[in-house]
Amino acid sequence: MPILVAPTTNPGEPQAPWEWPQRLIEMPKVSFTDPGGMTTMFTDWERGWILQPGAKGLDMPSYSIAQDESPGIDGYEVRQVRAQGKAITLPIAFWANDSRAAYKARRRALIRSLNPKRGQGTLTLTEPDGASRSIGVRYTDGMEGDESLDAAGARWCITALVFAVPSPYWIGGEVSTTWKTVVGGDFYPFLPFTVGDSQVLGSVTVDNDGDDDAYPIWTIKGPATSATLTNHTTGQTLVLTRTLTGTDTVVIDTRERRQTALLNGVTNLWPNLSDTSTLWPLEPDRNELTLTVAGSTTATSVRMTYQPRYLAS
């Protein structure tokens, strides 16, 4: 059995992974969930999994800076800054105390779960206080099979799993706010009310805790004849003109590479968005928003849901 880098009460006596006291492993819990929903906890000492020191790629991505140069002028102008996809490396050890057959079954299950042809999986880091962030990944390297003396034995394995990360942002928990008219002309949350052809369902400050733009999903339940969603901080507006009955629901997904506008999950509403509409994001920090819905009643509601995006785990 090789000697692993591990916490120990006596620095002169390194320990095998199944001998590591769990109370000495003060790391976030790290798990991988495959497209089928199977989750493997890489920080589960009691069940034979350990995330070793040396993880890479958990924080900021690299950036691509597009530039323009002009003849006779020193330097350049920055035209665009774009975060790049990246790779995450997780050094892990896993074993089975009872038998080699149990170890081989564990190894095969992990390999099956990591198969990138099945689709994108999710890495999740959960802190001791319960806060968690996740990121979409696909396995690329690490489980080819290294049977050298310091990498594997009859019922244990040490390797470094490498994951491709197409989108470089860690995703936080879902944040949701609902604006709805209630009896008496008040609104929930307690927001302004304007009597007339349009009703202002809400003017509110949204504080995006993330490190980058967050793209919301809007759910509008009728009745309504139009909805105007404005981010005054960015100066951008999204306008939908469509008569909705009390049984209609519109979902506008502004997330990059997923952008859709659907009525009742079926009808495409892109033609009902104004030519000047922008599927705007929430900037980091404060965003001043106003939601105005024409033709609304006490049954009308607008919900905004988003997940903050972070540059580090």
Side-chain angles (χ1 to χ4, degrees):
M1 175 68 204
I3 294 176
L4 306 180
V5 178
T8 176
T9 54
N10 185 345
E13 297 180 1
Q15 298 167 310
W18 46 80
E19 297 171 332
W20 297 355
Q22 188 176 16
R23 60 185 176 84
L24 297 178
I25 311 299
E26 296 181 356
M27 294 289 291
K29 293 182 179 179
V30 181
S31 64
F32 171 76
T33 302
D34 68 23
M38 174 182 170
T39 297
T40 302
M41 184 66 68
F42 293 141
T43 45
D44 194 346
W45 176 80
E46 290 184 342
R47 292 177 174 82
W49 296 91
I50 282 291
L51 176 65
Q52 298 192 91
K56 297 180 180 179
L58 298 180
D59 289 340
M60 287 191 73
S62 59
Y63 287 83
S64 172
I65 298 179
Q67 58 193 52
D68 293 323
E69 298 185 5
S70 300
I73 301 178
D74 296 333
Y76 58 84
E77 287 286 343
V78 174
R79 176 161 41 90
Q80 184 185 58
V81 178
R82 188 166 62 91
Q84 301 290 294
K86 61 180 183 177
I88 289 177
T89 302
L90 298 179
I92 67 167
F94 63 95
W95 63 93
N97 282 333
D98 42 3
S99 67
R100 176 166 173 79
Y103 160 72
K104 290 289 287 184
R106 171 165 296 182
R107 184 184 183 95
R108 285 194 297 268
L110 175 62
I111 289 173
R112 187 182 304 113
S113 183
L114 291 174
N115 185 353
K117 286 188 174 182
R118 299 177 60 201
Q120 182 167 280
T122 303
L123 280 181
T124 301
L125 272 68
T126 304
E127 298 290 342
D129 64 1
S132 67
R133 293 177 184 174
S134 60
I135 196 165
V137 299
R138 288 181 191 249
Y139 164 85
T140 61
D141 192 75
M143 287 300 295
E144 294 82 2
D146 183 353
E147 298 299 326
S148 55
L149 291 177
D150 60 348
R155 51 187 176 85
W156 58 269
C157 176
I158 302 170
T159 190
L161 298 179
V162 181
F163 296 92
V165 185
S167 176
Y169 301 107
W170 290 87
I171 305 301
E174 188 175 276
V175 180
S176 184
T177 302
T178 299
W179 293 264
K180 181 177 175 61
T181 312
V182 295
V183 176
D186 293 326
F187 292 85
Y188 179 81
F190 299 104
L191 300 169
F193 172 72
T194 301
V195 178
D197 293 336
S198 298
Q199 294 180 351
V200 180
L201 289 191
S203 295
V204 66
T205 299
V206 175
D207 193 349
N208 173 15
D209 180 63
D211 303 320
D212 207 276
D213 292 346
Y215 290 83
I217 299 172
W218 297 95
T219 302
I220 304 170
K221 294 185 177 181
T225 55
S226 69
T228 301
L229 316 173
T230 302
N231 187 333
H232 297 285
T233 300
T234 65
Q236 296 172 310
T237 298
L238 173 59
V239 180
L240 170 72
T241 302
R242 176 82 179 206
T243 298
L244 307 178
T245 69
T247 61
D248 287 332
T249 299
V250 172
V251 177
I252 303 175
D253 190 339
T254 71
R255 293 175 296 175
E256 297 168 311
R257 298 186 175 90
R258 304 187 188 182
Q259 296 173 341
T260 56
L262 295 175
L263 172 64
N264 299 327
V266 177
T267 305
N268 177 24
L269 293 185
W270 282 116
N272 298 99
L273 300 180
S274 71
D275 293 339
T276 58
S277 285
T278 302
L279 301 181
W280 49 261
L282 297 167
E283 288 191 339
D285 301 323
R286 292 168 60 90
N287 292 260
E288 303 294 337
L289 311 183
T290 298
L291 283 64
T292 304
V293 179
S296 62
T297 71
T298 56
T300 306
S301 67
V302 178
R303 183 172 75 247
M304 177 190 67
T305 302
Y306 70 95
Q307 291 180 282
R309 305 196 299 179
Y310 299 92
L311 290 170
S313 59

